[in-house]
CSV table of all heavy atoms in Angstrom, one decimal:
chain,number,residue,atom,x,y,z
A,185,SER,N,-71.2,53.4,-38.4
A,185,SER,CA,-71.5,53.0,-39.8
A,185,SER,C,-72.9,53.4,-40.3
A,185,SER,O,-73.1,53.6,-41.5
A,185,SER,CB,-71.4,51.4,-39.9
A,185,SER,OG,-72.4,50.8,-39.1
A,186,PHE,N,-73.8,53.6,-39.3
A,186,PHE,CA,-75.2,54.1,-39.7
A,186,PHE,C,-75.4,55.6,-39.6
A,186,PHE,O,-76.4,56.1,-39.8
A,186,PHE,CB,-76.2,53.4,-38.8
A,186,PHE,CG,-76.0,53.6,-37.3
A,186,PHE,CD1,-76.5,54.7,-36.7
A,186,PHE,CD2,-75.3,52.7,-36.5
A,186,PHE,CE1,-76.3,54.9,-35.3
A,186,PHE,CE2,-75.2,52.9,-35.2
A,186,PHE,CZ,-75.7,54.0,-34.6
A,187,GLY,N,-74.3,56.3,-39.2
A,187,GLY,CA,-74.4,57.8,-39.1
A,187,GLY,C,-74.2,58.2,-37.7
A,187,GLY,O,-73.5,57.5,-36.9
A,188,HIS,N,-74.7,59.4,-37.3
A,188,HIS,CA,-74.5,59.9,-36.0
A,188,HIS,C,-75.8,59.7,-35.2
A,188,HIS,O,-76.9,60.2,-35.6
A,188,HIS,CB,-74.2,61.4,-36.0
A,188,HIS,CG,-72.9,61.7,-36.7
A,188,HIS,ND1,-71.7,61.7,-36.0
A,188,HIS,CD2,-72.6,62.0,-38.0
A,188,HIS,CE1,-70.7,62.0,-36.8
A,188,HIS,NE2,-71.2,62.2,-38.0
A,189,ALA,N,-75.8,59.0,-34.0
A,189,ALA,CA,-76.9,58.9,-33.2
A,189,ALA,C,-77.4,60.3,-32.7
A,189,ALA,O,-76.6,61.2,-32.5
A,189,ALA,CB,-76.6,58.0,-32.0
A,190,MET,N,-78.7,60.4,-32.4
A,190,MET,CA,-79.2,61.7,-31.9
A,190,MET,C,-78.7,62.0,-30.5
A,190,MET,O,-78.5,63.2,-30.2
A,190,MET,CB,-80.7,61.6,-31.8
A,190,MET,CG,-81.4,61.6,-33.2
A,190,MET,SD,-83.2,61.8,-33.2
A,190,MET,CE,-83.7,60.2,-32.6
A,191,GLY,N,-78.4,61.0,-29.7
A,191,GLY,CA,-77.9,61.2,-28.3
A,191,GLY,C,-78.7,62.2,-27.6
A,191,GLY,O,-79.9,62.2,-27.5
A,192,PRO,N,-78.0,63.2,-27.0
A,192,PRO,CA,-78.7,64.2,-26.1
A,192,PRO,C,-79.6,65.2,-26.9
A,192,PRO,O,-80.4,65.9,-26.3
A,192,PRO,CB,-77.5,65.0,-25.4
A,192,PRO,CG,-76.4,64.8,-26.4
A,192,PRO,CD,-76.5,63.5,-27.0
A,193,ASN,N,-79.5,65.1,-28.2
A,193,ASN,CA,-80.4,66.0,-29.0
A,193,ASN,C,-81.6,65.3,-29.5
A,193,ASN,O,-82.4,65.8,-30.3
A,193,ASN,CB,-79.6,66.5,-30.3
A,193,ASN,CG,-78.4,67.4,-29.9
A,193,ASN,OD1,-78.4,68.1,-28.9
A,193,ASN,ND2,-77.4,67.3,-30.7
A,194,CYS,N,-81.9,64.1,-28.9
A,194,CYS,CA,-83.0,63.3,-29.5
A,194,CYS,C,-84.3,63.9,-29.3
A,194,CYS,O,-85.2,63.9,-30.2
A,194,CYS,CB,-82.9,61.9,-28.9
A,194,CYS,SG,-83.3,61.7,-27.2
A,195,VAL,N,-84.6,64.6,-28.2
A,195,VAL,CA,-85.9,65.2,-28.0
A,195,VAL,C,-86.2,66.3,-29.0
A,195,VAL,O,-87.2,66.3,-29.6
A,195,VAL,CB,-86.1,65.7,-26.5
A,195,VAL,CG1,-87.4,66.4,-26.4
A,195,VAL,CG2,-86.0,64.5,-25.5
A,196,THR,N,-85.2,67.2,-29.1
A,196,THR,CA,-85.3,68.2,-30.1
A,196,THR,C,-85.6,67.7,-31.5
A,196,THR,O,-86.4,68.2,-32.3
A,196,THR,CB,-84.1,69.1,-30.1
A,196,THR,OG1,-84.0,69.7,-28.8
A,196,THR,CG2,-84.2,70.3,-31.1
A,197,GLN,N,-84.8,66.7,-31.9
A,197,GLN,CA,-84.8,66.2,-33.2
A,197,GLN,C,-86.1,65.3,-33.4
A,197,GLN,O,-86.7,65.3,-34.5
A,197,GLN,CB,-83.6,65.4,-33.6
A,197,GLN,CG,-82.3,66.3,-33.6
A,197,GLN,CD,-81.1,65.6,-34.0
A,197,GLN,OE1,-81.0,64.3,-34.0
A,197,GLN,NE2,-80.1,66.3,-34.4
A,198,MET,N,-86.5,64.6,-32.4
A,198,MET,CA,-87.8,63.9,-32.5
A,198,MET,C,-89.0,64.8,-32.7
A,198,MET,O,-89.9,64.5,-33.5
A,198,MET,CB,-88.0,63.0,-31.3
A,198,MET,CG,-87.1,61.8,-31.1
A,198,MET,SD,-87.0,61.1,-29.5
A,198,MET,CE,-88.7,60.3,-29.4
A,199,LYS,N,-89.0,65.9,-32.1
A,199,LYS,CA,-90.0,66.9,-32.3
A,199,LYS,C,-90.0,67.5,-33.7
A,199,LYS,O,-91.1,67.7,-34.3
A,199,LYS,CB,-89.9,68.1,-31.2
A,199,LYS,CG,-90.2,67.7,-29.8
A,199,LYS,CD,-90.0,68.8,-28.9
A,199,LYS,CE,-90.3,68.4,-27.4
A,199,LYS,NZ,-90.0,69.5,-26.5
A,200,GLU,N,-88.8,67.7,-34.2
A,200,GLU,CA,-88.7,68.1,-35.6
A,200,GLU,C,-89.3,67.1,-36.6
A,200,GLU,O,-90.0,67.5,-37.6
A,200,GLU,CB,-87.3,68.4,-36.0
A,200,GLU,CG,-86.7,69.6,-35.3
A,200,GLU,CD,-85.2,69.7,-35.4
A,200,GLU,OE1,-84.6,68.8,-36.0
A,200,GLU,OE2,-84.6,70.8,-35.0
A,201,CYS,N,-89.1,65.8,-36.3
A,201,CYS,CA,-89.7,64.8,-37.1
A,201,CYS,C,-91.2,64.7,-37.0
A,201,CYS,O,-91.9,64.5,-38.0
A,201,CYS,CB,-89.0,63.4,-36.8
A,201,CYS,SG,-87.3,63.3,-37.1
A,202,PHE,N,-91.7,64.9,-35.8
A,202,PHE,CA,-93.1,64.9,-35.5
A,202,PHE,C,-93.8,66.0,-36.3
A,202,PHE,O,-94.8,65.9,-36.9
A,202,PHE,CB,-93.4,65.0,-34.0
A,202,PHE,CG,-93.3,63.7,-33.2
A,202,PHE,CD1,-92.7,63.7,-32.0
A,202,PHE,CD2,-93.9,62.6,-33.7
A,202,PHE,CE1,-92.6,62.6,-31.3
A,202,PHE,CE2,-93.8,61.4,-33.0
A,202,PHE,CZ,-93.1,61.4,-31.8
A,203,ASP,N,-93.1,67.2,-36.3
A,203,ASP,CA,-93.6,68.3,-37.1
A,203,ASP,C,-93.7,68.0,-38.5
A,203,ASP,O,-94.7,68.3,-39.2
A,203,ASP,CB,-92.8,69.6,-36.8
A,203,ASP,CG,-93.0,70.2,-35.5
A,203,ASP,OD1,-94.1,70.1,-34.9
A,203,ASP,OD2,-92.0,70.8,-35.0
A,204,PHE,N,-92.6,67.4,-39.1
A,204,PHE,CA,-92.6,67.1,-40.5
A,204,PHE,C,-93.7,66.1,-40.9
A,204,PHE,O,-94.3,66.3,-42.0
A,204,PHE,CB,-91.2,66.5,-40.8
A,204,PHE,CG,-91.0,66.2,-42.3
A,204,PHE,CD1,-90.6,67.1,-43.2
A,204,PHE,CD2,-91.3,64.9,-42.8
A,204,PHE,CE1,-90.4,66.8,-44.5
A,204,PHE,CE2,-91.1,64.6,-44.1
A,204,PHE,CZ,-90.7,65.5,-45.0
A,205,HIS,N,-93.9,65.2,-40.0
A,205,HIS,CA,-94.9,64.1,-40.4
A,205,HIS,C,-96.3,64.5,-39.8
A,205,HIS,O,-97.2,63.6,-39.8
A,205,HIS,CB,-94.5,62.8,-39.8
A,205,HIS,CG,-93.4,62.1,-40.7
A,205,HIS,ND1,-93.7,61.6,-41.9
A,205,HIS,CD2,-92.1,62.0,-40.5
A,205,HIS,CE1,-92.6,61.1,-42.5
A,205,HIS,NE2,-91.6,61.3,-41.6
A,206,LYS,N,-96.5,65.7,-39.3
A,206,LYS,CA,-97.8,66.2,-38.9
A,206,LYS,C,-98.4,65.4,-37.8
A,206,LYS,O,-99.5,64.9,-37.8
A,206,LYS,CB,-98.8,66.2,-40.1
A,206,LYS,CG,-98.3,67.2,-41.2
A,206,LYS,CD,-99.3,67.2,-42.4
A,206,LYS,CE,-98.9,68.3,-43.4
A,206,LYS,NZ,-97.6,68.3,-43.8
A,207,PHE,N,-97.6,65.3,-36.7
A,207,PHE,CA,-98.1,64.8,-35.4
A,207,PHE,C,-98.3,65.9,-34.4
A,207,PHE,O,-97.5,66.8,-34.4
A,207,PHE,CB,-97.1,63.8,-34.8
A,207,PHE,CG,-97.1,62.4,-35.4
A,207,PHE,CD1,-96.5,62.2,-36.7
A,207,PHE,CD2,-97.7,61.3,-34.8
A,207,PHE,CE1,-96.5,60.9,-37.2
A,207,PHE,CE2,-97.8,60.1,-35.3
A,207,PHE,CZ,-97.2,59.9,-36.6
A,208,ASN,N,-99.3,65.8,-33.6
A,208,ASN,CA,-99.4,66.6,-32.4
A,208,ASN,C,-98.5,65.9,-31.3
A,208,ASN,O,-98.5,64.7,-31.3
A,208,ASN,CB,-100.8,66.8,-31.9
A,208,ASN,CG,-101.6,67.6,-32.8
A,208,ASN,OD1,-101.2,68.7,-33.2
A,208,ASN,ND2,-102.9,67.2,-33.1
A,209,TYR,N,-97.9,66.7,-30.5
A,209,TYR,CA,-97.1,66.1,-29.4
A,209,TYR,C,-97.0,67.0,-28.2
A,209,TYR,O,-97.2,68.2,-28.3
A,209,TYR,CB,-95.7,65.8,-29.9
A,209,TYR,CG,-94.9,67.0,-30.5
A,209,TYR,CD1,-94.2,67.8,-29.6
A,209,TYR,CD2,-94.9,67.2,-31.8
A,209,TYR,CE1,-93.5,68.9,-30.1
A,209,TYR,CE2,-94.2,68.3,-32.3
A,209,TYR,CZ,-93.5,69.2,-31.5
A,209,TYR,OH,-92.8,70.2,-32.0
A,210,GLU,N,-96.6,66.4,-27.1
A,210,GLU,CA,-96.4,67.1,-25.8
A,210,GLU,C,-95.3,66.4,-25.1
A,210,GLU,O,-95.2,65.2,-25.2
A,210,GLU,CB,-97.7,67.1,-25.0
A,210,GLU,CG,-97.6,67.8,-23.7
A,210,GLU,CD,-98.9,67.8,-22.9
A,210,GLU,OE1,-99.9,67.3,-23.5
A,210,GLU,OE2,-98.9,68.2,-21.8
A,211,SER,N,-94.4,67.2,-24.4
A,211,SER,CA,-93.3,66.6,-23.7
A,211,SER,C,-93.2,67.1,-22.3
A,211,SER,O,-93.6,68.3,-22.1
A,211,SER,CB,-92.0,66.8,-24.4
A,211,SER,OG,-91.6,68.1,-24.4
Side-chain angles (χ1 to χ4, degrees):
S185 64
F186 58 83
H188 296 274
M190 291 189 284
N193 297 328
C194 67
V195 173
T196 299
Q197 294 183 344
M198 289 166 70
K199 289 178 179 178
E200 292 170 354
C201 296
F202 281 135
D203 284 332
F204 181 86
H205 284 288
K206 296 181 171 54
F207 280 78
N208 289 317
Y209 58 85
E210 182 179 353
S211 66

